[in-house]
Amino acid sequence: MTADADYKPGLEDVPAAKSAVSFLDGKKAVLEYRGIPVEVLARESSFEEVSWLLIKGSLPTQKELADFDAELRQRRAIHYRLKDLIRCMPADGHPMDALHASVAALGMFYPCPTVADPAKNWDATCRLLAALPTVVAAFARSRRGEEIPEPRADLDHAGNFYYLLFGKEPTPAVRRVLDACLILHAEHTMNASTFAARVTGSTLATPYQTIASAVGALSGPLHGGANEEALRQFDEIGGPGNVKPWLDAKRTADPKYKVMGIGHRVYKVKDARATVLQEIAEHMFAESSRPKAYETALELERVCAGIYGPKGIYPNVDFYSGVVYSAIGIPTDVFTPIFAIARTAGWLAHWHEQLVGNRIFRPEQVFTGTTDVRYVPLAERP
Ligand code: COA
């Protein structure tokens, strides 16, 4: 039986797998995908190239990238009956719930019943990467009573997604921002959703079930859902001048109040991705007036640094991502689905890694119940 002393709530600091996909140093704000700093990739690379890098382990050759890109473009369209399914979903349902159901359904329309066939695994890998943007945009459009558009094979991954969401092509600057955001969210070591993917993958479930599990884990407000909550929080505060009284009131009501978009299990300094997103925001707002939400975020970061900084609690990736997404017109409840579109690359990289020398996850528990209890027949109970 496992001793209480061995129990680590939240598995903090417990290694759950060996992985070469990404490296994180939370004290130095270093995040590398297959050894390459995420800031460099956000500046120089594309989501397609980063997906290959994460899944295959090294940068693609020019031909490999061109072939991979073509494979993705071929798999963007979704079965018309999956569109019917999406049309039947409640318009006021959350897009993460729609995504979760649709990813599992994708596995019925494009079956991959065994994970023993590398060709089928690769087909599913490309389909999941390519079709998630279509699914997310399909729900976003159909819930507004709009037609579900067909993907465009002449646009890249980020450009096509924007087109599907809004029915128009992005400007080159907006396309670049979206591509950089996808790169920044593509992978992040052994977080909750990646662990969920690896646990489901370890049962030899299909890649669609594996990614559906990860989508479910990502949806919670302590994980991917924090970006939505962060933006709502800036709106609730209402402006930079209200930050201090707002935070004082929250902390008085609940001394353990959690400010959304700050804090991290691993980072003890400001998340490198938050820094890049802030740079993107600065660049975007240089030519226009700064939105109130961004001004509020800047002031909240400043005030929080004084209070929580000594505990190593600083902005994480979700602090500025919502401000950036909102500035390019993306609805608040679509922020986390975009996170999922991006993180699918990392989840799939971990799934492929898990399948090599796989062992099913089966941890222990610290039993806190009672044993040998007599069953009392219902008639004898009050
Ligand atoms: N605001 C205020 N205090 C915070 C905080 C936050 N966002 N995050 C952590 N803390 C404090 C806790 O109150 C606790 O204080 P204590 O030592 O006095 O009890 C300490 O920091 C440790 O917090 P804990 O919740 O145990 O850390 P964790 O590693 O379990 O949780 C998060 C990490 C991310 C879940 C947590 O920081 C959080 O809820 N952040 C807000 C949600 C968010 O932005 N999530 C996105 C993550 S990328």
Side-chain angles (χ1 to χ4, degrees), residues 247 250-260 308 311:
L247 190 55
K250 292 286 185 196
R251 295 180 73 222
T252 306
D254 173 9
K256 292 275 172 199
Y257 182 77
K258 292 262 173 79
V259 177
M260 283 294 132
Y308 304 111
K311 277 191 184 174

Side-chain angles (χ1 to χ4, degrees), residues 208-227:
Y208 296 97
Q209 288 288 5
T210 298
I211 299 305
S213 290
V215 169
L218 185 71
S219 67
L222 295 188
H223 193 6
N227 54 18

Side-chain angles (χ1 to χ4, degrees), residues 123-196:
D123 177 70
T125 297
C126 294
R127 190 167 311 278
L128 280 158
L129 285 167
L132 254 71
T134 315
V135 164
V136 169
F139 182 69
R141 301 291 290 267
S142 82
R143 69 177 173 171
R144 294 198 302 254
E146 295 171 10
E147 274 303 301
I148 296 178
E150 281 303 309
R152 293 252 309 260
D154 59 322
L155 299 174
D156 72 356
H157 194 78
N160 172 61
F161 176 53
Y162 185 96
Y163 166 76
L164 289 172
L165 263 184
F166 298 110
K168 60 179 183 189
E169 287 180 37
T171 63
V174 167
R175 193 211 64 75
R176 187 67 207 117
V177 166
L178 198 49
D179 205 11
C181 289
L182 293 176
I183 293 169
L184 290 171
H185 287 85
E187 161 61 8
H188 204 237
T189 71
M190 197 55 59
N191 53 83
S193 58
T194 300
F195 183 47

Side-chain angles (χ1 to χ4, degrees), residues 177 274-288 290-291 294 298 320-321 323-324 327:
V177 166
T275 306
V276 178
L277 282 162
Q278 193 181 350
E279 282 164 18
I280 289 174
E282 283 291 330
H283 195 254
M284 283 174 75
F285 306 140
E287 285 159 23
S288 57
R290 285 173 164 185
Y294 182 56
L298 290 174
Y320 288 110
S321 62
V323 176
V324 169

Side-chain angles (χ1 to χ4, degrees), residues 40 42 61 117 120 128 140 150 162 190 212 229 238-239 249 265 292 340 375 380:
V40 175
T61 63
D117 180 345
K120 282 216 159 62
L128 280 158
E150 281 303 309
Y162 185 96
M190 197 55 59
E229 300 297 329
R265 176 65 59 81
K292 203 195 270 180
Y375 175 76
E380 290 175 25

Side-chain angles (χ1 to χ4, degrees), residues 85-112:
L85 187 69
I86 293 171
R87 281 192 197 98
C88 290
M89 291 175 176
D92 58 355
H94 196 284
M96 280 301 274
D97 293 334
L99 181 60
H100 189 265
S102 303
V103 171
L106 264 177
M108 289 191 275
F109 290 109
Y110 307 97
C112 183

